[in-house]
Amino acid sequence: MQNKRRRFKDLVIPKKRFGQNFLIDNNVIENIINSAELDKNTLVIEIGPGLGAITRGLCEDGGFVLSYEIDYSILPYLKENTKEYDNIKIINQDILKSDILSDIENIDFKYDKIYVVANLPYYITTPIILKLLESKIDIKRYIFMIQLEVANRICGNPKTKDYNDLSILIGYKAKATKLFEVKNTSFFPAPKVSSAVIKLDTYEKLPYKATNEEIFYKIIKESFEKRRKTFYNNLNSYYDDETINNLYDEFKLNPNIRAEELSIQDFVNIANYLNENDRLVIYAHSKINLALEVMDLKDNYHMVNNLMIPITLYDKLSFEKSDEIILLDNNIKDNIIIKAAKLFIEHFKINGGVKIKLEKNIPIAAGLAGGSTDGAAVLKGLNKLYNVSASSDELKKLAEKLGSDVPFFIDEEVALCTNRGEKINPLNIKVKPIKLLLIKPISSLSTKEVYENYNYDGVSKKEKIDNIIDSLKNNDIDKLKQNIFNDLTVPALKLNKELKILYNNLKKEYDVYLSGSGPTLFIINPKDSSVKKIEEKYKDLFVYLCYTK
Ligand code: SAM
């Protein structure tokens, strides 16, 4: 070995910046080549052949060797050492910048499998392995000499400090085995760190398959780069709170979980969930009316003082860009969603369309503004999808064209809506969530008809409205209950017999109110026992427990 060292010194000065530690131990060289188990149909990719310590054996046993070496100055020695072989192509390039796939296409060799063999430059171990794993090249086996510490990490288990993004990415694609450790003295110059040879055999069929590998790689890298953060905060760099909260619910994840506590299967499941749910999603909330004062007609419209509060019952709309305007799987007749999309696209001269998926939870024609809120959600969704950045006031103006109730849902905050209901006066109150039980009879009511059957009594309800606002400010539920009113209750009960019976029955035991033009009724802050009782009694109706938002 003494002799060999002198010989190397005479030939080249190893360059630290290229991670040049040449193998001088013939046993190790032989072990590496043998563990690759090459045959004449194998295309071998070698990274960093150096002076050709391993390269000669690869040419001897393999079918063809494609060898990448960054250091131009050592090429004459490498060529000299491999001159008796014609099954080798040396490419003088940085492997990280090489287009390996097209290099493979350019060689004239028929292979049945591709293996990679390398005594890697340690300063770029991870980027090289990641580049190869993430590439589209179908590599069956990797034999790598790497730092011992990295080898342990790759072959490590979750919940240990050795486990990291590289372990997961490799574990996802391949079975990793640590073959043997190598002493420092087997190299010239001797590296400061210990080394090991590992074998990665890629799976024919992945045990867990990520439907979108880009997302899988992205979340793993982000999670381990910012290892000190919780996994929730790692995901928050790319996904909104609602998506992550749903994910945590779905997988019952502890909010404080860290990336190193998750297995490969966990990461795959999470990536697949995010791939499916990573459309732009808008939650369109419903509302109830705490005050609805209906006054005289002006220009064919009733003037109103309408105090609305959003509630936690919502429709979920997801948006994807498309050439046309498409609403997927729905049975809704009067389509405010399509109208809203057309309106937005025409108004902002958008070049394109939208594919909208609607998950409908809010009953229609129920006084819960299920249509209006969907219309507003479409305007908000398209605003985000096409990065239009229209202000909330601009969106409200557009929303007005879809209906008097629609502008309220642009901001979804408790407000006194006046004029036709389209003029929003936000109350700027942070209302503590109030428990609500919604009960909707089976039959519906037409808003138009309810208004037509309304007779204005000319009595101002200003005091009641002020009291409601006060009660919301002070979280005074009793005062709130005493003041809630809805001028449309009388015509709605008159028009719908089922509603009248239900209302009168409930009224015997509870304070019950009508939402909008009905027919949904609501009870404020019901006891748990009352909820149970009502749910049981009205099994066939829409009975829904929720909160103000
Ligand atoms: N295979 C040789 C051996 O076992 O003696 C040399 C191994 S040495 C640890 C790493 C080799 O990788 C060096 O020859 C170095 O010049 C080469 N290298 C370093 N960075 C490279 C890069 N980005 N692309 C290709 N080769 C690189």
Side-chain angles (χ1 to χ4, degrees):
M1 227 174 259
Q2 200 59 38
N3 268 347
K4 275 201 179 167
R5 242 171 242 161
R6 218 171 284 130
R7 242 173 57 209
F8 272 118
K9 269 188 185 147
D10 296 341
L11 286 170
V12 287
I13 300 167
K15 297 184 184 71
K16 230 178 155 173
R17 74 190 147 101
F18 287 145
Q20 288 178 350
N21 299 94
F22 301 112
L23 268 174
I24 49 171
D25 183 332
N26 283 334
N27 283 333
V28 174
I29 294 170
E30 211 169 295
N31 279 343
I32 291 176
I33 293 161
N34 289 341
S35 55
E37 298 171 305
L38 307 171
D39 63 32
K40 286 294 165 193
N41 296 314
T42 317
L43 169 62
V44 188
I45 298 173
E46 189 189 17
I47 298 151
L51 300 167
I54 313 174
T55 323
R56 290 170 57 86
L58 298 179
C59 293
E60 200 70 49
D61 290 1
F64 194 91
V65 181
L66 192 57
S67 201
Y68 292 88
E69 174 55 59
I70 198 169
D71 186 3
Y72 179 76
S73 70
I74 58 174
L75 290 190
Y77 306 101
L78 175 62
K79 285 187 177 152
E80 174 63 27
N81 284 341
T82 53
K83 67 170 186 251
E84 66 255 53
Y85 302 102
D86 58 3
N87 58 342
I88 178 166
K89 182 171 178 183
I90 297 164
I91 299 183
N92 179 213
Q93 250 178 30
D94 178 347
I95 185 71
L96 295 176
K97 294 184 184 147
S98 305
D99 182 351
I100 308 170
L101 202 57
S102 82
D103 292 337
I104 293 174
E105 277 163 13
N106 287 334
I107 56 170
D108 185 19
F109 174 70
K110 285 213 170 9
Y111 56 89
D112 65 8
K113 57 194 167 305
I114 304 175
Y115 285 7
V116 173
V117 181
N119 172 12
L120 284 176
Y122 293 173
Y123 72 108
I124 43 170
T125 302
T126 303
I128 293 177
I129 299 183
L130 290 185
K131 172 170 174 156
L132 295 167
L133 281 177
E134 290 176 23
S135 78
K136 300 225 161 21
I137 311 162
D138 182 18
I139 299 165
K140 290 273 183 267
R141 173 173 289 170
Y142 302 82
I143 301 287
F144 287 135
M145 168 89 78
I146 53 176
Q147 223 176 297
L148 177 62
E149 195 198 314
V150 182
N152 288 338
R153 221 182 280 155
I154 288 172
C155 308
N157 292 316
K159 298 189 187 180
T160 64
K161 69 175 180 17
D162 282 339
Y163 182 71
N164 73 349
D165 48 349
L166 197 63
S167 345
I168 299 175
L169 291 171
I170 290 176
Y172 170 66
K173 286 228 159 162
K175 186 176 171 324
T177 320
K178 189 166 113 186
L179 295 180
F180 52 91
E181 296 187 10
V182 179
K183 288 186 294 205
N184 302 26
T185 48
S186 302
F187 303 85
F188 178 80
K192 288 201 177 73
V193 290
S194 308
S195 302
V197 174
I198 61 162
K199 176 165 83 166
L200 311 177
D201 277 325
T202 50
Y203 294 116
E204 281 293 328
K205 194 166 171 280
L206 296 180
Y208 315 104
K209 172 94 182 92
T211 45
N212 182 331
E213 288 185 343
E214 258 175 57
I215 292 180
F216 176 69
Y217 297 143
K218 183 176 82 177
I219 59 168
I220 289 170
K221 280 184 201 156
E222 179 71 22
S223 311
F224 283 93
E225 249 166 51
K226 299 183 185 135
R227 222 183 156 127
R228 290 233 211 114
K229 286 189 180 180
T230 59
F231 183 57
Y232 189 104
N233 288 334
N234 298 142
L235 290 179
N236 227 196
S237 322
Y238 295 106
Y239 300 96
D240 61 27
D241 284 336
E242 235 155 8
T243 308
I244 306 173
N245 289 337
N246 288 342
L247 168 90
Y248 271 58
D249 280 353
E250 176 89 14
F251 293 103
K252 305 206 170 27
L253 294 179
N254 174 336
N256 298 320
I257 200 161
R258 286 171 192 278
E260 58 265 35
E261 295 173 65
L262 296 164
S263 67
I264 295 169
Q265 189 181 1
D266 292 333
F267 272 107
V268 168
N269 288 341
I270 289 168
N272 290 354
Y273 176 91
L274 290 171
N275 182 35
E276 268 190 29
N277 294 281
D278 185 27
R279 279 163 307 208
L280 174 63
V281 170
I282 302 278
Y283 293 84
H285 290 90
S286 175
K287 58 85 196 175
I288 53 161
N289 306 68
L290 297 177
L292 180 49
E293 181 178 17
V294 182
M295 293 165 292
D296 267 341
L297 282 172
K298 196 173 150 194
D299 304 327
N300 259 332
Y301 282 101
H302 279 285
M303 294 295 102
V304 296
N305 282 317
N306 182 5
L307 201 161
M308 290 200 278
I309 190 160
I311 62 174
T312 53
L313 167 65
Y314 58 75
D315 287 346
K316 185 176 164 191
L317 291 93
S318 11
F319 301 84
E320 264 172 76
K321 284 186 184 169
S322 152
D323 294 337
E324 299 162 80
I325 298 174
I326 304 165
L327 176 56
L328 298 172
D329 24 88
N330 86 98
N331 310 304
I332 296 152
K333 288 172 232 129
D334 172 25
N335 222 324
I336 190 167
I337 291 182
I338 297 286
K339 262 193 234 163
K342 275 190 186 147
L343 181 69
F344 188 95
I345 282 168
E346 274 164 31
H347 183 85
F348 290 104
K349 302 187 171 58
I350 306 291
N351 190 7
V354 61
K355 199 192 281 177
I356 304 171
K357 191 169 166 223
L358 170 67
E359 203 180 279
K360 191 88 193 129
N361 304 309
I362 308 172
I364 45 175
L368 294 170
S372 301
T373 191
D374 290 349
V378 170
L379 302 181
K380 290 188 276 187
L382 284 170
N383 195 32
K384 268 196 185 176
L385 191 70
Y386 280 101
N387 292 319
V388 176
S389 306
S391 69
S392 140
D393 282 345
E394 268 179 283
L395 292 181
K396 280 183 199 150
K397 274 214 182 85
L398 216 53
E400 226 183 289
K401 299 187 181 172
L402 296 168
S404 308
D405 262 3
V406 185
F408 169 81
F409 294 99
I410 296 295
D411 290 337
E412 288 188 344
E413 50 188 29
V414 59
L416 182 64
C417 306
T418 55
N419 213 33
R420 285 184 287 117
E422 85 292 357
K423 193 168 179 310
I424 315 295
N425 308 284
L427 299 183
N428 299 320
I429 308 174
K430 256 216 140 349
V431 181
K432 261 194 160 175
I434 304 167
K435 195 170 162 188
L436 300 167
L437 188 67
L438 309 180
I439 311 120
K440 184 201 162 284
I442 293 169
S443 50
S444 305
L445 265 171
S446 136
T447 304
K448 196 166 162 264
E449 252 185 86
V450 175
Y451 271 94
E452 279 166 5
N453 279 271
Y454 173 69
N455 295 314
Y456 180 44
D457 60 7
V459 181
S460 164
K461 309 275 169 47
K462 186 173 179 316
E463 200 184 325
K464 274 185 168 279
I465 294 176
D466 287 345
N467 283 342
I468 293 173
I469 296 173
D470 257 6
S471 70
L472 291 176
K473 272 185 193 154
N474 303 318
N475 193 32
D476 185 342
I477 301 291
D478 287 335
K479 189 172 175 183
L480 175 69
K481 280 175 157 185
Q482 282 155 25
N483 287 283
I484 295 176
F485 72 94
N486 184 341
D487 281 351
L488 298 177
T489 313
V490 174
L493 295 184
K494 193 178 113 191
L495 285 169
N496 187 322
K497 213 170 155 199
E498 185 201 356
L499 172 66
K500 192 172 171 182
I501 297 168
L502 179 68
Y503 179 83
N504 287 334
N505 273 337
L506 289 168
K507 193 91 189 146
K508 285 180 203 155
E509 289 185 69
Y510 317 99
D511 291 319
V512 60
Y513 312 95
L514 182 78
S515 183
S517 57
T520 302
L521 299 169
F522 64 90
I523 297 173
I524 298 257
N525 227 4
K527 285 195 200 119
D528 290 349
S529 55
S530 310
V531 174
K532 229 174 139 206
K533 207 168 136 189
I534 295 170
E535 279 174 344
E536 271 169 24
K537 186 163 179 194
Y538 298 105
K539 267 197 208 91
D540 298 336
L541 306 190
F542 173 83
V543 178
Y544 189 84
L545 185 68
C546 60
Y547 289 84
T548 56
K549 188 183 150 255

